[in-house]
Amino acid sequence: MYDNDKENLTRKDVMKFLINLIKERKFKASQKLYSENFIAHKLGINRSMVHEVYTALECMGILECIHGKGTYLKQVDNSVLNSPLCILAFLLEGDPLQTLDFRRIIEIGIVEKVIQQITTEDINKMYEAIENIKNTDDYMEASKNDILIHSIYVNSIDNELISFVYNMSVTYITYISNDNWKKILLSEKQKFKKAQIAQHFNIIKSLEERNVKKCKKYILEHITYIGDILMK
């Protein structure tokens, strides 16, 4: 299907390819899907693109990614697979700066509620994610833990609508985060990695201290910093 035009494949194409496999019953519920490396090799694309699509499908409740074991199909029907929401994040190739604007509005806008409702367990998970970032030189692993920190933050307020909209945007956020961390780790300049770690630490520490003013300040600084990196 894609052999003649592999160089021009987009994330939307990869999404359609995987959804067609599921709709054609190539896999059954609870069955392990092809690995990211297999799909990347088959389509002749970068594995990070496949990872972004798998992440999106997991957020949509279609796949379940189990660390160290693989990716599995959940019980879904064609009404879910055909839903416009299922490919919403891939219908347009998003402007990263617009996505950062979205994050800025959401993440700063819910600071007060997050500080009221975030648990010690949530905060500890965020600190663990920072440690994972410190100890890896794999940009996709760093990106995954970066996204985890912000997802825990947003989902802590237990607002289904905000969580749904934010999680739907994780596709673009993953794309931006992967690009951000790839630039950081390929630069071989530890100061960039240290700066990102310090920014995340400041955000989490302000949550732990229940300091609204500091938390808003650190989130704004962090998102602005990412935008500056992406524009270079």
PDB file of all heavy atoms in Angstrom, residues 25-33 71-74:
ATOM      1  N   ARG A  25      -9.300  -7.567  11.146  1.00  0.00           N
ATOM      2  CA  ARG A  25      -9.217  -8.698  12.079  1.00  0.00           C
ATOM      3  C   ARG A  25      -7.897  -9.459  11.979  1.00  0.00           C
ATOM      4  O   ARG A  25      -7.852 -10.680  12.153  1.00  0.00           O
ATOM      5  CB  ARG A  25     -10.383  -9.675  11.852  1.00  0.00           C
ATOM      6  CG  ARG A  25     -11.769  -9.034  11.914  1.00  0.00           C
ATOM      7  CD  ARG A  25     -12.030  -8.402  13.253  1.00  0.00           C
ATOM      8  NE  ARG A  25     -13.367  -7.792  13.296  1.00  0.00           N
ATOM      9  CZ  ARG A  25     -13.816  -7.057  14.310  1.00  0.00           C
ATOM     10  NH1 ARG A  25     -13.027  -6.844  15.353  1.00  0.00           N
ATOM     11  NH2 ARG A  25     -15.023  -6.543  14.278  1.00  0.00           N
ATOM     12  N   LYS A  26      -6.824  -8.715  11.680  1.00  0.00           N
ATOM     13  CA  LYS A  26      -5.501  -9.344  11.683  1.00  0.00           C
ATOM     14  C   LYS A  26      -5.075  -9.683  13.112  1.00  0.00           C
ATOM     15  O   LYS A  26      -4.210 -10.517  13.331  1.00  0.00           O
ATOM     16  CB  LYS A  26      -4.471  -8.401  11.059  1.00  0.00           C
ATOM     17  CG  LYS A  26      -4.759  -7.994   9.617  1.00  0.00           C
ATOM     18  CD  LYS A  26      -4.639  -9.161   8.667  1.00  0.00           C
ATOM     19  CE  LYS A  26      -4.799  -8.685   7.215  1.00  0.00           C
ATOM     20  NZ  LYS A  26      -4.745  -9.815   6.263  1.00  0.00           N
ATOM     21  N   PHE A  27      -5.699  -8.986  14.084  1.00  0.00           N
ATOM     22  CA  PHE A  27      -5.406  -9.231  15.492  1.00  0.00           C
ATOM     23  C   PHE A  27      -6.711  -9.362  16.259  1.00  0.00           C
ATOM     24  O   PHE A  27      -7.715  -8.746  15.904  1.00  0.00           O
ATOM     25  CB  PHE A  27      -4.576  -8.083  16.079  1.00  0.00           C
ATOM     26  CG  PHE A  27      -3.240  -7.916  15.437  1.00  0.00           C
ATOM     27  CD1 PHE A  27      -3.069  -7.026  14.372  1.00  0.00           C
ATOM     28  CD2 PHE A  27      -2.151  -8.645  15.867  1.00  0.00           C
ATOM     29  CE1 PHE A  27      -1.845  -6.874  13.761  1.00  0.00           C
ATOM     30  CE2 PHE A  27      -0.912  -8.493  15.273  1.00  0.00           C
ATOM     31  CZ  PHE A  27      -0.761  -7.610  14.206  1.00  0.00           C
ATOM     32  N   LYS A  28      -6.688 -10.147  17.306  1.00  0.00           N
ATOM     33  CA  LYS A  28      -7.848 -10.312  18.178  1.00  0.00           C
ATOM     34  C   LYS A  28      -7.594  -9.579  19.498  1.00  0.00           C
ATOM     35  O   LYS A  28      -6.448  -9.266  19.830  1.00  0.00           O
ATOM     36  CB  LYS A  28      -8.111 -11.798  18.442  1.00  0.00           C
ATOM     37  CG  LYS A  28      -8.459 -12.595  17.185  1.00  0.00           C
ATOM     38  CD  LYS A  28      -8.676 -14.064  17.525  1.00  0.00           C
ATOM     39  CE  LYS A  28      -9.012 -14.870  16.266  1.00  0.00           C
ATOM     40  NZ  LYS A  28      -9.192 -16.311  16.580  1.00  0.00           N
ATOM     41  N   ALA A  29      -8.672  -9.335  20.236  1.00  0.00           N
ATOM     42  CA  ALA A  29      -8.542  -8.670  21.533  1.00  0.00           C
ATOM     43  C   ALA A  29      -7.574  -9.433  22.423  1.00  0.00           C
ATOM     44  O   ALA A  29      -7.583 -10.666  22.458  1.00  0.00           O
ATOM     45  CB  ALA A  29      -9.904  -8.565  22.209  1.00  0.00           C
ATOM     46  N   SER A  30      -6.733  -8.703  23.120  1.00  0.00           N
ATOM     47  CA  SER A  30      -5.707  -9.222  24.033  1.00  0.00           C
ATOM     48  C   SER A  30      -4.527  -9.851  23.307  1.00  0.00           C
ATOM     49  O   SER A  30      -3.616 -10.393  23.947  1.00  0.00           O
ATOM     50  CB  SER A  30      -6.282 -10.248  25.018  1.00  0.00           C
ATOM     51  OG  SER A  30      -7.322  -9.665  25.782  1.00  0.00           O
ATOM     52  N   GLN A  31      -4.516  -9.777  21.972  1.00  0.00           N
ATOM     53  CA  GLN A  31      -3.400 -10.337  21.211  1.00  0.00           C
ATOM     54  C   GLN A  31      -2.310  -9.283  21.044  1.00  0.00           C
ATOM     55  O   GLN A  31      -2.580  -8.100  20.862  1.00  0.00           O
ATOM     56  CB  GLN A  31      -3.875 -10.813  19.837  1.00  0.00           C
ATOM     57  CG  GLN A  31      -2.788 -11.524  19.025  1.00  0.00           C
ATOM     58  CD  GLN A  31      -3.331 -12.080  17.706  1.00  0.00           C
ATOM     59  OE1 GLN A  31      -4.523 -12.002  17.426  1.00  0.00           O
ATOM     60  NE2 GLN A  31      -2.445 -12.633  16.901  1.00  0.00           N
ATOM     61  N   LYS A  32      -1.063  -9.734  21.083  1.00  0.00           N
ATOM     62  CA  LYS A  32       0.078  -8.839  20.952  1.00  0.00           C
ATOM     63  C   LYS A  32       0.213  -8.347  19.512  1.00  0.00           C
ATOM     64  O   LYS A  32       0.122  -9.123  18.564  1.00  0.00           O
ATOM     65  CB  LYS A  32       1.355  -9.555  21.373  1.00  0.00           C
ATOM     66  CG  LYS A  32       2.592  -8.667  21.444  1.00  0.00           C
ATOM     67  CD  LYS A  32       3.770  -9.463  21.975  1.00  0.00           C
ATOM     68  CE  LYS A  32       5.020  -8.603  22.062  1.00  0.00           C
ATOM     69  NZ  LYS A  32       6.175  -9.377  22.596  1.00  0.00           N
ATOM     70  N   LEU A  33       0.398  -7.039  19.345  1.00  0.00           N
ATOM     71  CA  LEU A  33       0.565  -6.453  18.024  1.00  0.00           C
ATOM     72  C   LEU A  33       2.024  -6.493  17.587  1.00  0.00           C
ATOM     73  O   LEU A  33       2.909  -6.834  18.367  1.00  0.00           O
ATOM     74  CB  LEU A  33       0.076  -4.997  18.016  1.00  0.00           C
ATOM     75  CG  LEU A  33      -1.400  -4.769  17.674  1.00  0.00           C
ATOM     76  CD1 LEU A  33      -2.289  -5.286  18.796  1.00  0.00           C
ATOM     77  CD2 LEU A  33      -1.677  -3.304  17.401  1.00  0.00           C
ATOM     78  N   THR A  71       2.837  -4.461  23.024  1.00  0.00           N
ATOM     79  CA  THR A  71       1.595  -3.714  22.838  1.00  0.00           C
ATOM     80  C   THR A  71       0.475  -4.670  22.460  1.00  0.00           C
ATOM     81  O   THR A  71       0.631  -5.505  21.568  1.00  0.00           O
ATOM     82  CB  THR A  71       1.767  -2.656  21.735  1.00  0.00           C
ATOM     83  OG1 THR A  71       2.852  -1.789  22.088  1.00  0.00           O
ATOM     84  CG2 THR A  71       0.499  -1.829  21.573  1.00  0.00           C
ATOM     85  N   TYR A  72      -0.667  -4.529  23.130  1.00  0.00           N
ATOM     86  CA  TYR A  72      -1.776  -5.466  22.958  1.00  0.00           C
ATOM     87  C   TYR A  72      -3.039  -4.728  22.542  1.00  0.00           C
ATOM     88  O   TYR A  72      -3.276  -3.585  22.944  1.00  0.00           O
ATOM     89  CB  TYR A  72      -2.026  -6.230  24.264  1.00  0.00           C
ATOM     90  CG  TYR A  72      -0.857  -7.101  24.671  1.00  0.00           C
ATOM     91  CD1 TYR A  72       0.250  -6.554  25.321  1.00  0.00           C
ATOM     92  CD2 TYR A  72      -0.844  -8.460  24.386  1.00  0.00           C
ATOM     93  CE1 TYR A  72       1.338  -7.337  25.680  1.00  0.00           C
ATOM     94  CE2 TYR A  72       0.231  -9.264  24.745  1.00  0.00           C
ATOM     95  CZ  TYR A  72       1.323  -8.692  25.391  1.00  0.00           C
ATOM     96  OH  TYR A  72       2.389  -9.480  25.726  1.00  0.00           O
ATOM     97  N   LEU A  73      -3.858  -5.417  21.739  1.00  0.00           N
ATOM     98  CA  LEU A  73      -5.134  -4.869  21.300  1.00  0.00           C
ATOM     99  C   LEU A  73      -6.178  -5.053  22.395  1.00  0.00           C
ATOM    100  O   LEU A  73      -6.317  -6.136  22.951  1.00  0.00           O
ATOM    101  CB  LEU A  73      -5.600  -5.568  20.021  1.00  0.00           C
ATOM    102  CG  LEU A  73      -6.972  -5.156  19.470  1.00  0.00           C
ATOM    103  CD1 LEU A  73      -6.954  -3.702  19.030  1.00  0.00           C
ATOM    104  CD2 LEU A  73      -7.355  -6.062  18.299  1.00  0.00           C
ATOM    105  N   LYS A  74      -6.907  -3.972  22.697  1.00  0.00           N
ATOM    106  CA  LYS A  74      -8.001  -4.065  23.662  1.00  0.00           C
ATOM    107  C   LYS A  74      -9.297  -4.404  22.929  1.00  0.00           C
ATOM    108  O   LYS A  74      -9.345  -4.433  21.699  1.00  0.00           O
ATOM    109  CB  LYS A  74      -8.141  -2.746  24.424  1.00  0.00           C
ATOM    110  CG  LYS A  74      -6.883  -2.397  25.230  1.00  0.00           C
ATOM    111  CD  LYS A  74      -7.020  -1.104  25.982  1.00  0.00           C
ATOM    112  CE  LYS A  74      -7.864  -1.246  27.213  1.00  0.00           C
ATOM    113  NZ  LYS A  74      -7.841  -0.045  28.056  1.00  0.00           N
TER     114      LYS A  74
END
